[in-house]
Amino acid sequence: MSNYPSEITPREGERLTEVIKDWALAHGLTVRPPPAVITAEADPVGILATPVPVTLFPSPFPRACFDQAIKVQKAYNELYASISQDEAFLTQIVKEIGDSDDFITELWKVHLRVKEEGYVQHKSLGLFRSDYMIHQDETGSAPQIKQVEFNTIASSFGGLSSQTSLLHEYLSSTEYQLLENPIQRGVLQLPENKSTVGLAAGIRQAFIEYGPPSTSYQKCAIFLVQGGERNIFDQRHLEYELQKSQEPHIPVFRLPFAEILQHTTIVEGPGRQLLYHPPQLPSHTFEVAVIYMRSGYGPSDYPDQSAWEARYHLERSAAIKCPTVLTQVAGTKKVQQVLATPETSSNPSILPRYISKDSASISNLADTFTNIYPLDETEAGLRARKIAVDPELCKSYVLKPQREGGGNNIYRSSIPPFLKSIPESHWPSYILMELITPPPVKNTILRNGKLEHGGVICELGIYGTCIWDQQSKTILHNEQAGYLLRTKGDQSEEGGVAAGFGCMDSVSLV
């Protein structure tokens, strides 16, 4: 398998392109077409879909690394549920990020406003994703997984990921053995991927945990989305899976973030139940049990004060949020940095604060950390500043802000000029992360009908679902929920599929 996947002929490429395009369209492995492919004028009512960028073959991935990532996910769920309950720690995190990040400052104000009047919902839902890359120092050294980031809001691609795994299973049973360099059926070790089922099961469990409605209305779940969402089919797969539930039956509605105040109200009184009034079904009202946020993770969702009022409106309601403001703040890069900064006598690990000291989970978690440093005025921060502004040393690092979504990171030699372009007082809102060195892998990507062959870098995401009670400090549900493999050409430094750099992939265990 060292030469896997083998080169394919131009005709084989044409054949696989045709098969994959049709399979993807038939099975919802799709996105709305980007403007570069189809202009808005050419599709004014949004009836078109296009296959997502995808690899022709499942990429090879070390079995030991895959198993390690799967094994540690429930410990990560527990860790971030515990951090979300530690308001004192998160207060310190927000303070350290400082006024240089207006978005986090405004987000924290929402929490403080609700705290002042008192939360009425103490249960929280986390649909998490922990992202890793394989790190290999030199040829021959054992590969390890190292965490790139931990996502606590809008952890996307679960719906498309399970479809990608099914696509590669289909190709392995029908197409690969027909190639000039054939791969016989049963040779590839393709792990089952239940990401759609697993994530929907987390939302379903939160719907149950909410309890019976306390108004005269039927309960529902809300998917809080962005207007003009291109990645809609990823979300739809979760909706359709959720709606398969017969007991309980779960009505699901999509609500654009910009329309929260227009279509929801809160019942006056101590219960603060959130009511949804579907604009196309004026005779119906629903009591919202769960809000699953696929929006609200970045500044662009909050163009004005009314958007912040809308987030406050949801936060103070009785609906179970995925996530709460506290859980969203727990997902900032600063928290990841505090967890992963190398331990010293003056800077002990904070993991024992959240995970039992005698638990194997502590070492399992720590094994996945890569070196991350603050850019503040602590001892570690001052050392990191020297690295970040050094034209040679910076080449082994990436600078990250407290942001979700692709396109926000600054790499290698771009770091010194970027830091010089912003006030030094803003530096503490960034973290400096040692770049992970993945082993060489090759594959072919099908993007917008064209094939791109060459070296690729793979990023593994493991999904987890967790429900906990902030008041009783108990975890009510904790499960691993499938995986995602995103792959990008080794010349690209951003891996977000929706952002246009990467593509969907699946794992072939080696």
Side-chain angles (χ1 to χ4, degrees), residues 122-144:
H122 299 291
K123 291 175 181 174
S124 297
L125 168 64
L127 296 193
F128 298 142
R129 196 186 71 223
S130 186
D131 293 339
Y132 307 94
M133 287 170 65
I134 300 171
H135 181 67
Q136 201 161 16
D137 287 324
E138 58 207 44
T139 306
S141 67
Q144 305 169 285

Side-chain angles (χ1 to χ4, degrees), residues 5-27:
S6 299
E7 296 278 346
I8 56 171
T9 67
R11 286 195 168 185
E12 288 172 342
E14 289 173 15
R15 164 77 184 171
L16 287 172
T17 296
E18 184 181 312
V19 170
I20 290 171
K21 281 193 302 184
D22 289 348
W23 193 99
L25 288 166
H27 293 83

Side-chain angles (χ1 to χ4, degrees), residues 41 123 182 330 398 443 463:
E41 294 77 16
K123 291 175 181 174
V398 54
N443 209 325
Y463 295 102

Side-chain angles (χ1 to χ4, degrees), residues 73-94:
Q73 184 58 39
K74 287 170 79 168
Y76 263 117
N77 293 347
E78 181 186 344
L79 173 62
Y80 274 84
S82 299
I83 290 171
S84 300
Q85 296 166 48
D86 189 348
E87 191 201 13
F89 171 68
L90 294 176
T91 300
Q92 184 61 30
I93 288 292
V94 172

Side-chain angles (χ1 to χ4, degrees), residues 5 12 42 50 119 189 227 240 278 282 366 441 450 486:
E12 288 172 342
T50 187
Y119 279 89
Q189 301 298 303
Y240 301 150
V441 176
K450 296 176 182 174
R486 287 177 297 177

Side-chain angles (χ1 to χ4, degrees), residues 113-252:
R113 283 178 71 188
V114 180
K115 180 187 174 186
E116 192 174 342
E117 64 178 329
Y119 279 89
V120 292
Q121 180 56 262
H122 299 291
K123 291 175 181 174
S124 297
L125 168 64
L127 296 193
F128 298 142
R129 196 186 71 223
S130 186
D131 293 339
Y132 307 94
M133 287 170 65
I134 300 171
H135 181 67
Q136 201 161 16
D137 287 324
E138 58 207 44
T139 306
S141 67
Q144 305 169 285
I145 56 161
K146 293 297 178 184
Q147 189 183 61
V148 177
E149 64 181 0
F150 192 90
N151 302 278
T152 63
I153 181 169
S155 303
S156 55
F157 299 116
L160 295 183
S161 181
S162 54
Q163 297 306 102
T164 305
S165 293
L166 291 174
L167 165 66
H168 285 151
E169 285 174 21
Y170 171 77
L171 295 173
S172 71
S173 67
T174 61
E175 295 296 323
Y176 296 156
Q177 67 264 33
L178 305 178
L179 301 173
E180 280 189 17
N181 294 302
I183 305 168
Q184 298 304 330
R185 292 175 66 173
V187 169
L188 298 181
Q189 301 298 303
L190 308 179
E192 187 178 36
N193 187 7
K194 294 284 192 180
S195 50
T196 303
V197 171
L199 292 169
I203 299 173
R204 180 180 182 273
Q205 191 58 42
F207 188 86
I208 293 168
E209 289 288 349
Y210 181 86
S214 46
T215 63
S216 59
Y217 303 113
Q218 187 181 357
K219 290 192 301 180
C220 78
I222 292 285
F223 278 44
L224 197 65
V225 299
Q226 292 174 325
E229 175 64 71
R230 286 184 49 235
N231 194 28
I232 185 171
F233 304 106
D234 176 51
Q235 301 168 5
R236 288 292 195 187
H237 284 301
L238 293 191
E239 291 176 46
Y240 301 150
E241 184 62 35
L242 200 53
Q243 288 169 314
K244 287 179 185 176
S245 174
Q246 296 298 312
E247 191 53 51
H249 169 62
I250 305 175
V252 180

Side-chain angles (χ1 to χ4, degrees), residues 252-465:
V252 180
F253 297 98
R254 296 173 64 80
L255 175 62
F257 193 92
E259 298 175 17
I260 292 168
L261 296 176
Q262 197 177 337
H263 300 306
T264 67
T265 55
I266 290 180
V267 175
E268 292 296 326
R272 283 190 235 147
Q273 297 86 357
L274 183 67
L275 302 182
Y276 174 62
H277 314 282
Q280 293 146 331
L281 303 168
S283 62
H284 291 268
T285 296
F286 292 84
E287 181 176 334
V288 182
V290 182
I291 301 166
Y292 170 47
M293 296 181 66
R294 290 294 292 261
S295 58
Y297 51 82
S300 61
D301 287 318
Y302 304 85
D304 51 35
Q305 190 54 40
S306 71
W308 287 108
E309 286 301 316
R311 183 65 188 270
Y312 165 67
H313 173 80
L314 298 182
E315 195 74 11
R316 69 188 288 268
S317 79
I320 293 177
K321 271 75 70 179
C322 178
T324 63
V325 166
L326 288 171
T327 305
Q328 186 170 348
V329 172
T332 56
K333 305 298 186 293
K334 182 66 183 176
V335 170
Q336 185 190 8
Q337 173 257 302
V338 171
L339 290 169
T341 295
E343 189 175 356
T344 62
S345 55
S346 60
N347 180 45
S349 169
I350 66 163
L351 283 178
R353 182 167 170 170
Y354 304 111
I355 305 284
S356 173
K357 277 187 180 178
D358 55 359
S359 168
S361 295
I362 287 191
S363 60
N364 290 342
L365 288 164
D367 285 346
T368 67
F369 294 163
T370 191
N371 290 333
I372 307 177
Y373 303 95
L375 281 182
D376 55 22
E377 294 183 352
T378 62
E379 183 186 344
L382 293 173
R383 195 161 58 245
R385 287 182 176 208
K386 286 182 181 175
I387 293 170
V389 298
D390 187 291
E392 285 304 314
L393 296 177
C394 71
K395 291 178 181 177
S396 300
Y397 291 85
V398 54
L399 191 69
K400 293 187 172 188
Q402 314 298 320
R403 287 285 169 275
E404 298 302 327
N408 296 306
N409 300 332
I410 299 96
Y411 291 85
R412 301 185 175 92
S413 297
S414 301
I415 296 173
F418 173 79
L419 287 175
K420 283 176 185 167
S421 74
I422 63 171
E424 201 167 315
S425 60
H426 288 192
W427 290 14
S429 65
Y430 290 82
I431 57 135
L432 190 70
M433 179 175 177
E434 200 171 320
L435 282 168
I436 299 165
T437 312
V441 176
K442 61 179 180 176
N443 209 325
T444 302
I445 296 171
L446 174 60
R447 189 192 311 278
N448 298 331
K450 296 176 182 174
L451 296 178
E452 307 165 5
H453 181 77
V456 296
I457 295 169
C458 303
E459 188 171 302
L460 177 73
I462 305 296
Y463 295 102
T465 60

